[in-house]
Amino acid sequence: GHVAPLADAVLMSSVSLLQAHLDHARYTAPGPSLSHDQYLHRQLVALGQVLTRRLPIADRQLVAEYLLPVQHQLLQPLPKLRLGRPPELTTLAQRYLDLLLQGQRTEALTLLRHEVREGRDVRDLYQEVFQPVQRQVGLLWHQGRISVAQEHYCTGATELAMALLHPYLHRTPRNGRRLVATTLSGDLHSMPVRIVCDFLEGEGWEPVWLGGNTPAATIWPTVAAYKADLLLVGASMNHHVAAVRQVLAERTTHPAAQRVRTLVGGAPFNADPHLWQAVGADAWAPDAPGAVEAVRKLGLGSRYSSSS
């Protein structure tokens, strides 16, 4: 289970990707413990021994440069995950999650509608309810505490909630710019990209939301067809990063796409803040507010503004 993540890390020259893989393995174990960390450590040692016997000398040294840091990493304690950041939203996020786990989707949606009617900014719900709850749902599934059916139910409910609350998003006047947003083939975890897409729509952008799992060959023709100014691509897992790099490298073969700027994001890029440069993107953002700021720094302001 560690060979492919190791290969992904070597391919992208990023020890951080392998470290993120190990952190994920530690979090998703049934109750992370010292014994589990020791078990992971033994796995890495065994993997290193096998590769040492099988690889040429130069490659052995390369592999050691990746395996040794993550072995030391297992000696460090993991930070505790929690729902929400602002105290006033922690209870809301937990209540929303509890209702979904009880199969009470209607009640969960009613809870969020009430928050919006009381003046809660929808963007706060995106960041402090939807995202942390989805992370927790994924963790519960990986730990075997809920079934894949329950995970699908919770995710479907949150997608519905986003659609229902979308009309309540605060919007500035249209800026005359258009973006295409998606994840690539095999990457079904598109919700974070959808959130960024909605935030930029609130800033005046016209989004072309393709959903997730979009074939790479269709990306640049779609960007050209819609005369987009920005391509937003997310990657939820390490093994999706190489595909992102390949798509961005193909920009040079599409004359109509030369002026298009590119923004990437997702867990692998959060694990290694320099990875966006390795894939050839113009910018990276760790979250939706960061994406809004990154787009501004790219100089993609309003087409109707004298400064754009």
Side-chain angles (χ1 to χ4, degrees):
H2 304 308
V3 176
L6 173 61
D8 291 330
V10 172
L11 179 65
M12 300 309 304
S13 300
S14 174
V15 175
S16 298
L17 289 183
L18 188 59
Q19 291 174 328
H21 161 71
L22 263 294
D23 278 346
H24 180 73
R26 297 170 76 189
Y27 271 126
T28 56
S33 64
L34 178 61
S35 61
H36 180 66
D37 287 351
Q38 291 173 337
Y39 178 64
L40 288 173
H41 186 274
R42 289 199 298 270
Q43 289 181 332
L44 293 178
V45 170
L47 176 59
Q49 291 172 342
V50 171
L51 293 177
T52 296
R53 292 196 298 267
R54 300 288 184 90
L55 295 176
I57 294 177
D59 292 340
R60 295 177 199 170
Q61 180 60 36
L62 177 62
V63 167
E65 292 174 3
Y66 287 80
L67 288 179
L68 291 178
V70 297
Q71 290 175 18
H72 292 306
Q73 173 189 349
L74 292 174
L75 303 177
Q76 305 300 320
L78 274 174
K80 183 179 180 181
L81 292 176
R82 66 186 181 92
L83 289 176
R85 289 194 294 273
E88 70 272 15
L89 280 177
T90 301
T91 301
L92 175 61
Q94 186 63 61
R95 178 59 179 155
Y96 174 76
L97 175 59
D98 290 343
L99 287 171
L100 292 186
L101 293 178
Q102 295 164 15
Q104 299 181 23
R105 186 183 70 178
T106 299
E107 291 79 359
L109 297 179
T110 300
L111 175 69
L112 297 183
R113 284 198 189 98
H114 174 76
E115 289 291 322
V116 172
R117 288 167 182 160
E118 291 296 311
R120 180 78 68 186
D121 191 327
V122 173
R123 291 171 296 186
D124 288 341
L125 297 180
Y126 275 41
Q127 295 183 91
E128 308 300 342
V129 176
F130 297 152
Q131 287 187 300
V133 164
Q134 282 302 117
R135 284 194 292 269
Q136 183 70 1
V137 166
L139 179 63
L140 293 173
W141 173 67
H142 279 291
Q143 292 181 340
R145 296 163 61 185
I146 63 173
S147 67
V148 66
Q150 288 175 292
E151 184 274 330
H152 284 6
Y153 175 85
C154 293
T155 299
T158 295
E159 289 173 341
L160 177 59
M162 289 173 60
L164 292 175
L165 296 181
H166 185 265
Y168 294 96
L169 276 171
H170 173 71
R171 289 177 175 78
T172 60
R174 291 293 186 190
N175 62 17
R177 294 194 179 275
R178 182 177 291 164
L179 67 91
V180 170
T182 189
T183 63
L184 301 178
S185 293
D187 193 345
L188 302 176
H189 297 85
S190 60
M191 188 179 296
V193 186
R194 169 67 183 277
I195 290 174
V196 173
C197 191
D198 284 357
F199 269 56
L200 288 172
E201 183 179 5
E203 295 293 312
W205 284 73
E206 181 181 349
V208 179
W209 169 238
L210 305 182
N213 195 32
T214 301
T218 67
I219 298 299
W220 290 115
T222 301
V223 169
Y226 284 99
K227 297 181 173 61
D229 302 282
L230 176 70
L231 172 63
L232 172 63
V233 183
S236 63
M237 303 294 288
N238 293 353
H239 59 269
H240 298 132
V241 175
V244 174
R245 182 173 66 174
Q246 181 62 36
V247 164
L248 298 189
E250 292 171 357
R251 172 169 48 176
T252 59
T253 66
H254 294 269
Q258 300 309 302
R259 64 178 182 80
V260 178
R261 311 308 294 274
T262 57
L263 177 69
V264 295
F269 296 99
N270 290 353
D272 184 349
H274 302 290
L275 189 60
W276 65 274
Q277 296 168 313
V279 301
D282 294 310
W284 155 81
D287 52 27
V292 172
E293 182 61 27
V295 168
R296 289 172 180 166
K297 289 181 178 179
L298 287 175
L300 295 175
S302 174
R303 283 188 179 275
Y304 311 128
S305 170
S306 58
S307 62
S308 64

